[in-house]
Amino acid sequence: MSDATCEVGVLGLGVMGANLALNVEEKGFCVGVHNRSPDKVDAFVAAAPGKRVHGFKDPAAFVAALERPRRIILMVQAGAAVDAAVAGLVPHLAPGDLVVDGGNSLFTDTERRTAELAARGFAFIGMGVSGGEEGARHGPSIMPGGAPEAYARLAPVLERIAAQVADGPCVTHCGRGGAGHYVKMVHNGIEYGDMQLIAEAYDVLRTAGGLDDDALAAAFDEWNQGALESYLIEITARIFRVPDPDGPGRLVDAILDTASMKGTGKWTVQDAAELGVPVPTIAAAVDARLLSAAKPLRTAAARILRGPAPGDAPAAAAGSTALVSDVGAALWCAKVTSYAQGMHLLATASAARGWSIPLGKVARIWKGGCIIRARLLAEIQAALERDPALPNLLLDGFFRDEITTRQSSWRRVVGLAARSGLPVPAMTASLAYFDTLRRERLPANLTQAQRDYFGAHTFQRVDRAGSFHYDGWSRPA
């Protein structure tokens, strides 16, 4: 083939990269592909006969085959692999070329790379891509950041390959610098919370309510027809029905109870702490995964530590329609709380870093393609469009009223879990967040008195302005 005939380049032919390249080609673009392992290039091209894809085993030839100014999408593992890929491209780039990191990179790495490449005349975009293998192939939710002019050059491609919903493609410019990867990081943090909440709902229904896999599947199917409709609820119902190919029963029951993670949830909690934003649902989900991974410790502790067994606190109407309804209502309330925490974090980070993240548009692009897509995102979008400066999602009239009608169920489920000795850390953290938010006065006055007592950290008073220190704490009353 002649030089400069490919419109888009994709570097990295793992599951996500290969499927994204096919998506780009299918939407009308000629695609050049490159991979560090040459055999993957051969395999990809061989598996795509008749398609406008061209493989290159050499980075120089790959770059030379792209129309200028070039658009190159990296789909490689976050961290050192991105730096190595960029270093391999730079000698062959020309001023004005655009490099896009489509992996789950830490936003601070994206900001560093943006500055480094800008100094050499190249543009860089950090772009979150959500939807897994299926989304990459047929339409993901895409969260690009970076300079607006760089995004404008990439937008014609992204708007075609993104998931499509009633009000447009699931892609929007999220802000300058690392904003795109930050939005994806928070998306994943909300996803951690959502998955943990679903796992807790499953545990309550199965262990306290006695539902078997068929009944669980039916319950999740029912939920997916209403306010809880979402991708994660849908696939959970399917999971309960999958038979174990290597033994009796269902596959879910044969899976070891240890969950892993790649880091985005942890990063969300870490940066939330740096910014002073509470995200207890997401933090509880991260802790739950860490505790699940401590399987040897839990196995030993189960023989030593004693507490109520699930049967010691029988659930009224266990396994009944009433219990399923209560757990569904509790799950909805807790999920909304998790989204509220994520949106609060996005707003705070945007203001602190000058990103101008469009929260309403972020909610819109999460309605399709991504892992956390759900019916309630339309309501979140509407709430943020009604009041772009909404300080917390739970203060919106719709969510306030809906939680008011459901919170008795939420409290019953958390209470049932506590009486039954079932850990529901994310659901409990969500309820505590809600109750803390609605309290005008908290016991933090005592905390501040203690801090002043032992460290002279001062305190404020309810009846006058200023900071005060009392030096007589230790004197007898």
Side-chain angles (χ1 to χ4, degrees):
M1 61 174 292
S2 60
D3 286 351
T5 58
C6 297
E7 297 163 277
V8 180
V10 175
L11 191 160
L13 292 173
V15 171
M16 291 292 288
N19 280 286
L20 193 78
L22 291 173
N23 187 357
V24 173
E25 190 278 337
E26 189 176 78
K27 300 306 188 295
F29 299 94
C30 180
V31 182
V33 298
H34 172 60
N35 194 81
R36 184 181 61 178
S37 304
D39 58 318
K40 284 196 172 183
V41 176
D42 292 335
F44 178 82
V45 173
K51 294 187 179 293
R52 298 174 65 205
V53 297
H54 303 279
F56 302 91
K57 301 177 183 179
D58 175 71
F62 168 64
V63 173
L66 302 175
E67 292 179 350
R68 296 177 61 177
R70 301 174 177 95
R71 297 175 292 193
I72 302 173
I73 302 174
L74 309 182
M75 297 298 292
V76 300
Q77 187 175 359
V82 177
D83 288 322
V86 170
L89 290 173
V90 162
H92 313 294
L93 299 178
D97 286 349
L98 170 61
V99 178
V100 182
D101 175 11
N104 277 334
S105 289
L106 183 60
F107 73 97
T108 51
D109 286 342
T110 301
E111 302 223 308
R112 168 180 58 80
R113 292 168 185 139
T114 299
E116 290 172 352
L117 288 180
R120 306 185 69 163
F122 311 132
F124 188 82
I125 280 180
M127 182 177 78
V129 179
S130 179
E133 177 181 355
E134 185 72 12
R137 180 65 183 87
H138 298 293
S141 176
I142 308 176
M143 295 150 262
E149 57 273 20
Y151 172 70
R153 289 173 43 205
L154 192 61
V157 178
L158 301 185
E159 290 174 359
R160 289 197 208 175
I161 68 171
Q164 306 292 318
V165 294
D167 52 1
C170 292
V171 58
T172 193
H173 181 239
C174 293
R176 292 183 175 272
H181 273 144
Y182 195 91
V183 170
K184 177 55 163 52
M185 179 190 80
V186 174
H187 164 284
N188 285 19
I190 295 170
E191 178 185 312
Y192 272 55
D194 208 348
M195 293 175 71
Q196 177 62 27
L197 290 167
I198 290 172
E200 292 172 12
Y202 151 65
D203 197 19
V204 171
L205 290 177
R206 180 194 62 173
T207 309
L211 275 68
D212 62 16
D213 289 325
D214 287 329
L216 287 163
F220 276 78
D221 276 337
E222 179 185 345
W223 291 345
N224 201 47
Q225 303 306 309
L228 279 169
E229 179 189 2
S230 68
Y231 173 72
L232 285 171
I233 295 291
E234 176 188 345
I235 67 169
T236 302
R238 293 178 183 175
I239 285 169
F240 290 128
R241 292 190 171 99
V242 175
D244 184 354
D246 299 314
R250 304 296 168 84
L251 180 57
V252 66
D253 300 314
I255 296 175
L256 188 67
D257 59 324
T258 59
S260 59
M261 56 184 177
K262 293 185 177 179
T264 46
K266 177 184 72 175
W267 296 342
T268 303
V269 174
Q270 288 173 333
D271 198 60
E274 287 293 325
L275 293 173
V277 178
V279 290
T281 307
I282 299 169
V286 171
D287 286 344
R289 292 200 189 189
L290 294 171
L291 278 164
S292 80
K295 180 69 172 179
L297 174 62
R298 289 189 293 111
T299 299
R303 301 189 184 101
I304 300 169
L305 302 179
R306 292 292 176 261
D312 293 344
S320 72
T321 301
L323 180 61
V324 171
S325 177
D326 265 358
V327 175
L331 178 57
W332 189 90
C333 291
K335 281 164 63 76
V336 170
T337 306
S338 182
Y339 279 93
Q341 294 164 22
M343 288 298 181
H344 184 193
L345 178 57
L346 285 178
T348 304
S350 179
R353 297 175 176 126
W355 284 336
S356 300
I357 296 174
L359 296 184
K361 292 181 179 179
V362 168
R364 187 194 72 76
I365 68 170
W366 285 350
K367 292 192 301 185
C370 71
I371 303 302
I372 65 170
R373 61 186 184 266
R375 178 182 295 193
L376 65 84
L377 275 160
E379 298 296 346
I380 294 174
Q381 178 188 358
L384 293 168
E385 288 174 351
R386 282 191 293 270
D387 182 4
L390 186 68
N392 190 290
L393 191 62
L394 299 180
L395 302 183
D396 174 74
F398 171 82
F399 290 108
R400 177 200 63 210
D401 294 345
E402 291 297 315
I403 286 180
T404 297
T405 65
R406 291 175 170 88
Q407 69 172 285
S408 293
S409 294
W410 195 3
R411 297 182 191 282
R412 280 194 295 270
V413 170
V414 171
L416 169 63
R419 293 191 303 274
S420 302
L422 296 178
V424 287
M427 199 169 288
T428 302
S430 297
L431 182 57
Y433 177 87
F434 172 76
D435 281 338
T436 301
L437 193 63
R438 68 182 188 83
R439 283 284 300 277
E440 184 176 357
R441 184 166 173 81
L442 295 170
N445 55 316
L446 177 58
T447 304
Q448 202 60 13
Q450 292 169 332
R451 295 181 72 243
D452 191 60
Y453 188 117
F454 64 69
H457 293 296
T458 75
F459 55 86
Q460 295 173 300
R461 294 182 57 94
V462 298
D463 55 355
R464 69 198 74 165
S467 295
F468 300 87
H469 166 63
Y470 180 59
D471 58 9
W473 287 117
S474 60
R475 290 197 297 267

